[in-house]
Each structure stands twice: as structure tokens, then as C-alpha cells.
Amino acid sequence: MQQKDVLLMKPEVTEKPTAKKPVITGSEAVIRSLIAEGVETIFGYPGGAIMPIYDALYDFRDKVHHILVRHEQGATHAAQGYARSSGKVGVAFATSGPGATNLVTGLADAFMDSTPIVCITGQVAASLLGTDAFQETDVIGITMPITKWNIQVTRAEDIPAAISKAFYIARTGRPGPVLVDITKNAQTAEFEYEEKKCEYIRSYQPRPVLNKAAIADAAALINEAKKPFILCGHGVLLSNAEKDLIALAEKAQIPMGSTLLGLSAVPVDHPLYVGLLGMHGNYAPNMLTGDSDVIIAVGMRFDDRVTGDVSSYVPNSKVIHIEIDAAEINKIIHADVPVHADAKEALQELLPLIKPASHESWLQEFREAEKKEYEKIQRHELHPTTGQVKMAEVVRLISEKTNREAILVTDVGQHQMVASRYYRFKNPNTNITSGGMGTMGFSLPAAMGAKMGAPDKQVVAVIGDGCFQMTLQELGTIYQSQIGVKIVILNNNFLGMVRQWQQLFFDKRYSSTEMINPDFIQIAKGFFIPGQKVTEREKLSAAIDEMLAHDGAYLLEVVVEQEDNVFPMVVAGTPIKTVRLE
């Protein structure tokens, strides 16, 4: 064949057949989009406006496990617990109107505590929006201040992109809750489905560009410091920076204190760990924070419970603030060296610049303060021999008998503070609690979610008698879904934390804080969950053994001292150094 013939030949083109896009409903697109994001577990409650999505879910039961909660608030807290124990995004479903508004507390809690959850709500048809139709509420307006992002979808073809964007926003940067509200017509309409993957949003930079000059400035301050102190926050856990933080502390022998949500980032028995910060934190870190010359705050926001009176907080300290959310830097405490960055990235960049150092005399100050707290408080709380059972000894025994490896899920109040102080956390992400919002009723549903997210781990919910009655209906979920959580009610027949304040500051005028409680064991039996009640110290150890050994859910009620107060204590609004030991 001559060359010119080759050039004149018409090339043979074999057209590759284009894959035909499936025509599906918006509801099926919701489920397919969730599966594309790796979702395996959903917590929810059906209703009229979300019924098409539940109908589509029926065909995907082999891929997605739906947990039927007993209240929509329980769905959000369960999604939070799931997210915190698994490291994935939690998912909750609810219908319109009251179903959607019942999500509000959980969304606000997740927003305050930077927990990634995606809530999907059904909504009335787009043609009915704004008409006060049956079970119509402006869920977008209601949840705008308490979500990282929210959106109302009125067209089926917009569903895949909206859901992918929701997950991208929820899990990146500083994590948080996202809500997607889908009108009923969008759920039932059909369209050509195509998977959408969101990997970039214009003007949204979830991972800040690290300022290396700021890192150099931070290193210079740390290397010159005589009394440096690390404040470990929740951001350390969220960025998986626990090992990096410990490496920094060990290299320069810097003491480490933890915020409430930072607990479990550092093993409690680490020689450089000096305790919990805040209103009911340990004596040593609260007393000595103000004596430090350099504060290294990592992934924390200087909450008022940590700082006390801001005007007197760290008056002579240089502050290095490593924080992924720029809005938190200089919001409460001035940062001499602001480091707007992911905690892990910043710590890894900082570590090579840190010179090995020893701060033994500074560490000794913490050890001396620790001895004072032990003699004044801990010795009597942890190992009492007379009187009623104390909350601290219950927590101590649970800590010992779980080898410090359980996921501890606490509610809000005295029991929360005692559990946070005395459970000897060993592994990261084993402390799940409601921090910023302080939501009573959090623990039981959050423990359900935590167990679903980490099925191979022991999950223990420590709950006060008041908190338990906020969400006890979730015992029904635990029974139906066979979720093997261990439930410990510390029952003092009071709203304990409020009662403590009434005792100390309101002349023991116990106004509306005494609880006339039901028979918790009988209630548990009504949900086919075994349990027992302990009133005597001599029976406590064996009862905890029986609970932990039981295969499945179990409820242990421990009657504890009624007027057992939590100390140390810093009165709200006073300098953090004014720590009360009694």
C-alpha cells in the first residue's frame, strides 16, 4: 500500500457505547448517594414527609443498617456517638415538622463539639412551601445557626451533589453537623442518576495553608521557655495528632493538661500528663496554668469552663494557639503566636525545631499540687470504707475492671465530672461526652451509637438518675437492635450538680432538685434488659463484674451518697486559680 493511500483512507472509528444512566427516583438517589459515601448505619424515625426515602431504603437492607430510635433527638445523639467512636460521619433521618425540630438539640450539641453528622429530613412538597402545610416547618431557618451548612433540595436531580457536598463539609476542616432537607416531590420524581463526588468547594478551604514563619516563632518561644505548658483539646483527637503531641511533650519534657473533650488523647498514666483542666478539673493544672511562661494550646477554644475569669487568665504567659478554625484564634485569649493550621500538620512541622530540654523543677510543682489534691479529696473518694457508696469509687472500679480500655460515654452533671476525673483513659477516642452544650439525656443514645461504631469494644454509659429519665425510651432501641451497651446509673435522687450549687451558694434551699425516681430495674425489665440495684459497698465489685460479663445490654443502678459534692471546684466567673478543695 502506497503512503498516499494511507493518508487518504478514512480512519475507522469504533464508538464506545455510552453507559446508560439509570432512571431512578430521588429517594433511591438518596440511598445510593449515602452508600457512595461509605454509609453503613443510619439512625432514624420514619414519618409522612420522608416515607419515600424509607421505601427506597427497604431495597438496600443488605447494604445499609437502619436503627429505629424511639425519638429523633436520640437519632442525632446516636449519630454523634457513632461518629466519635468510629471516626466516620454519623447519619440520622427524620421527617418534617416535629421530626425535624426534634433534631435541634443534637445538631446544636454536635456543632458545639465539632462532631461530623449528616441529618436528612423530609419536607412537604415544594409547591406547599410557605403555606403552613401539615407538618411544615422552616427547618433551614431553624438550624442555620447550629449547622456547619444546610440546604433545602427541591429537585430530584440535585440530590446526589447535595449529599456529597454535605459529607465533604461535615468531615473536613473543623468537623460539624450538616442538614439536608428534601421536599417530597424531589423524593418521588425520577431522573437519570449519576454519582457526584464533591472534593472541592470554591472559597471553602478546610485545610489552611501552614505558615512556617509562625511555626518558627512558636519553636523559638518553646525553646526559651522555663515553664511551658501544653493544653490538649479535642482538635488533637480530631486530627489524629495524639502521637505527635506526646512526641513534642517528651522531647522538651513539657507537662500536658487536657480539656474535657481532649480527654483520652494522652494516656492518663503518662508521666507528663498532669490532669483535667476546668471548673471541676484537677487542682494542679488549674493552679499552675497561670504560672506558666509559655502556653501551647492545641485544638482547643479557651472555653469559659477552662479559663474562668478571662481578665486574670495566664496574665504573664506567652500564648501559642494552634487551631484549624480561624474564628477561634484571638476570640477569647490573645495569641502571641497564632498558628492557623491542622493540629497534626502543625505539630509535625514544629517537632524538628524543638530542642531537647528538661523542666524537672516545673514538673515537680505539678507533682506537689497533685499530692495535695490526693490527700484532701481523692484518697477519701476513691477508697472509702464507711458511709454510702461514692460516685468516684464506682468509676474507679469500672476503670480497673475494664482495664481502662472501655469507651466511656457520660451524660452531664456531677457523674460526668467524677467519671472524667477518675476513669484512667488509656486509648484515644474512648471518652464520649457532651461538652459545649452540656446536654442532659446525651449518654444513653450516644452509647448506642458508640457501640454500633465500635462493636468490638466494651461501651459503658455512666448516667445520672436525672439524665437517664430524659431519654430512657431508647432502651427500646437497645432491645430491638440488640445493642450490647452497659448502663450504669449513679442514683443520688437529686439533680446533683444543681443541688451542689444550691448547697454552696443558696443556703441549701433545694428548690426543685430532689427526684422521686421510678424503679429503674423494673423499667429495664420492661424492655427485656436485665439489671440489678446496688445499695451496699460490699456488693458493688461483684455487681460490676456481672454487668461486664453479661452478653448483651445490662443496667446497673448504684445508689450513691446524696450530698456528695464534686471537688475541686472553680466558681463560675472567678479566676481559675481560686480553686476550692472543699
Side-chain angles (χ1 to χ4, degrees):
M1 185 181 289
Q2 294 180 349
Q3 182 67 28
K4 65 177 182 179
D5 294 330
V6 174
L7 293 173
L8 292 172
M9 283 181 66
K10 185 176 180 181
E12 185 177 339
V13 178
T14 302
E15 291 188 7
K16 187 178 180 180
T18 303
K20 190 175 182 181
K21 298 174 185 176
V23 176
I24 62 173
T25 64
S27 295
E28 184 175 338
V30 170
I31 308 304
R32 288 198 185 199
S33 297
L34 292 175
I35 292 171
E37 294 295 335
V39 174
E40 297 174 339
T41 303
I42 297 168
F43 304 92
Y45 203 97
I50 200 171
M51 207 176 298
I53 292 176
Y54 271 90
D55 184 64
L57 181 63
Y58 190 86
D59 294 325
F60 292 88
R61 289 169 294 167
D62 58 331
K63 294 183 179 179
V64 182
H65 186 197
H66 180 271
I67 305 295
L68 176 63
V69 297
R70 296 306 187 261
H71 191 283
E72 291 88 354
Q73 180 182 343
T76 51
H77 293 327
Q80 287 177 270
Y82 179 88
R84 298 267 286 273
S85 71
S86 69
K88 302 175 183 178
V89 178
V91 179
F93 280 0
T95 193
S96 65
T101 58
N102 282 342
L103 300 178
V104 167
T105 298
L107 285 167
D109 195 286
F111 188 69
M112 289 285 277
D113 288 353
S114 304
T115 305
I117 64 173
V118 170
C119 293
I120 295 175
T121 53
Q123 183 58 276
V124 301
S127 61
L128 295 175
L129 289 172
T131 67
D132 294 329
F134 177 67
Q135 290 193 333
E136 179 198 359
T137 55
D138 179 10
V139 67
I140 297 299
I142 291 169
T143 62
M144 190 174 293
I146 53 170
T147 51
K148 192 175 176 186
W149 181 66
N150 65 11
I151 186 173
Q152 187 171 78
V153 181
T154 59
R155 303 191 315 158
E157 53 266 39
D158 295 333
I159 287 173
I163 289 179
S164 183
K165 186 175 180 180
F167 275 80
Y168 178 70
I169 291 173
R171 66 163 66 100
T172 56
R174 180 180 181 178
V178 171
L179 182 135
V180 181
D181 190 46
I182 306 175
T183 58
K184 201 163 186 179
N185 62 289
Q187 297 174 44
T188 56
E190 293 185 336
F191 73 110
E192 290 187 341
Y193 173 77
E194 183 179 7
E195 184 181 317
K196 303 288 185 179
K197 190 66 177 175
C198 180
E199 296 175 334
Y200 168 78
I201 300 171
R202 189 177 65 180
S203 79
Y204 173 57
Q205 292 185 310
R207 196 176 187 91
V209 177
L210 184 65
N211 183 341
K212 294 192 177 183
I215 293 293
D217 290 343
L221 272 183
I222 294 169
N223 289 333
E224 294 170 3
K226 303 300 181 187
K227 292 185 174 184
F229 188 26
I230 291 173
L231 310 185
C232 169
H234 193 197
V236 173
L237 290 158
L238 292 172
S239 64
N240 300 310
E242 305 90 353
K243 292 181 180 178
D244 307 284
L245 183 81
I246 292 170
L248 172 67
E250 290 178 343
K251 189 172 185 180
Q253 290 296 290
I254 304 172
M256 296 176 283
S258 171
T259 67
L260 179 63
L261 290 178
L263 282 173
S264 79
V266 178
V268 170
D269 59 355
H270 191 285
L272 294 173
Y273 180 73
V274 296
L276 175 66
L277 301 158
M279 178 177 281
H280 289 288
N282 292 108
Y283 183 70
N286 282 334
M287 281 296 293
L288 295 173
T289 298
D291 293 350
S292 62
D293 56 358
V294 174
I295 292 286
I296 306 117
V298 187
M300 54 89 72
R301 57 190 180 87
F302 290 107
D303 176 76
D304 63 287
R305 288 300 196 255
V306 166
T307 64
D309 176 22
V310 174
S311 65
S312 62
Y313 185 70
V314 294
N316 303 311
S317 308
K318 296 291 185 182
V319 175
I320 300 164
H321 194 179
I322 300 172
E323 171 59 49
I324 198 167
D325 186 352
E328 297 294 349
I329 298 176
N330 292 319
K331 185 175 83 174
I332 296 171
I333 299 296
H334 170 73
D336 297 278
V337 180
V339 182
H340 180 213
D342 172 77
K344 188 176 185 70
E345 185 180 2
L347 291 169
Q348 288 181 338
E349 193 75 24
L350 182 61
L351 184 61
L353 305 180
I354 299 302
K355 298 175 183 177
S358 174
H359 299 101
E360 186 55 38
S361 60
W362 173 228
L363 285 164
Q364 188 59 34
E365 291 186 46
F366 285 93
R367 295 182 185 121
E368 291 299 322
E370 286 170 359
K371 290 178 184 177
K372 186 173 182 179
E373 179 181 345
Y374 180 80
E375 288 300 321
K376 189 72 176 178
I377 300 171
Q378 295 178 357
R379 183 165 59 90
H380 310 289
E381 289 192 334
L382 292 169
H383 302 282
T385 56
T386 59
Q388 285 185 286
V389 175
K390 286 186 171 288
M391 293 180 284
E393 64 180 309
V394 180
V395 175
R396 174 183 62 81
L397 284 169
I398 293 171
S399 182
E400 292 171 358
K401 291 174 182 293
T402 58
N403 195 29
R404 303 165 46 212
E405 294 180 334
I407 295 176
L408 191 74
V409 188
T410 52
D411 228 287
V412 174
Q414 286 183 317
H415 71 276
Q416 175 192 34
M417 296 295 99
V418 171
S420 301
R421 283 166 47 77
Y422 292 123
Y423 194 88
R424 306 281 293 171
F425 296 101
K426 183 193 295 187
N427 302 317
N429 296 307
T430 52
N431 167 53
I432 298 177
T433 194
S434 174
M437 272 287 283
T439 304
M440 291 180 68
F442 171 86
S443 180
L444 189 63
M448 299 184 327
K451 184 65 175 177
M452 297 299 298
D456 297 331
K457 291 190 177 181
Q458 186 78 272
V459 175
V460 181
V462 178
I463 315 176
D465 49 308
C467 292
F468 181 71
Q469 293 177 79
M470 292 262 183
T471 51
L472 64 78
Q473 70 274 0
E474 297 307 333
L475 291 175
T477 307
I478 291 170
Y479 170 65
Q480 179 170 340
S481 297
Q482 294 296 292
I483 305 172
V485 297
K486 312 305 181 189
I487 305 157
V488 180
I489 300 174
L490 299 182
N491 182 6
N492 58 10
N493 291 104
F494 267 109
L495 298 176
M497 188 62 81
V498 183
R499 184 214 55 76
Q500 177 170 335
W501 277 69
Q502 289 174 335
Q503 177 184 342
L504 297 176
F505 308 111
F506 293 88
D507 299 321
K508 289 192 175 183
R509 292 160 60 87
Y510 295 155
S511 177
S512 301
T513 48
E514 186 172 4
M515 303 284 285
I516 305 300
N517 288 321
D519 187 331
F520 294 124
I521 304 305
Q522 287 299 320
I523 289 174
K525 286 181 179 178
F527 289 100
F528 307 100
I529 295 172
Q532 65 174 305
K533 180 177 182 176
V534 173
T535 59
E536 300 170 12
R537 177 169 291 110
E538 294 72 23
K539 297 180 180 179
L540 178 61
S541 179
I544 294 174
D545 287 338
E546 184 175 336
M547 173 187 72
L548 295 175
H550 180 74
D551 184 18
Y554 192 97
L555 188 147
L556 175 63
E557 176 189 356
V558 183
V559 178
V560 296
E561 185 179 331
Q562 279 200 310
E563 295 186 289
D564 187 9
N565 290 330
V566 182
F567 289 104
M569 178 181 182
V570 181
V571 179
T574 64
I576 200 69
K577 207 166 185 175
T578 58
V579 187
R580 294 181 56 162
L581 292 176
E582 57 184 357

